[in-house]
C-alpha cells in the first residue's frame, strides 16, 4: 500500500536553527527528540507549537546517541 511508504510523527517543536539554506528543527515526541531538516521556503512553526512531521520512509535516517 502507498501509505506504508510514508510515516508521520507528532510532537512539540523544541527548537529551530536557521542554517543558511536549511532550517533544522527538534521535535519532542514524549519518548524521543527527533531532528529534521526542512526544505527551503517551508513554514517554520514557533517553539512550543504542536507539529506533525510527515516523510517518505526512504528519507528516514536513525542515528545512535553520541556518547
Amino acid at each position: 500500500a502507498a501509505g506504508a511508504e510514508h510515516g508521520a510523527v507528532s510532537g512539540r517543536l523544541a527548537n529551530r536553527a536557521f542554517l543558511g539554506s536549511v532550517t533544522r528543527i527538534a521535535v519532542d515526541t514524549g519518548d524521543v527528540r527527533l531532528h529534521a531538516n526542512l526544505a527551503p521556503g517551508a513554514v517554520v512553526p514557533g517553539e512550543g507549537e504542536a507539529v506533525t512531521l510527515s516523510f517518505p520512509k526512504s528519507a528516514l535516517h536513525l542515528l545512535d546517541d553520541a556518547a
Side-chain angles (χ1 to χ4, degrees):
E5 296 173 6
H6 286 81
V9 66
S10 296
R12 295 224 172 256
L13 187 68
N15 62 50
R16 56 192 176 173
F18 299 99
L19 307 170
S21 64
V22 173
T23 300
R24 176 167 289 176
I25 62 170
V27 176
D28 285 332
T29 67
D31 295 329
V32 295
R33 178 171 280 189
L34 300 175
H35 298 268
N37 292 336
L38 301 182
V43 174
V44 181
E47 292 184 16
E49 288 188 43
V51 298
T52 298
L53 300 176
S54 59
F55 48 88
K57 288 185 178 178
S58 63
L60 183 63
H61 301 279
L62 299 176
L63 305 173
D64 290 331
D65 280 339

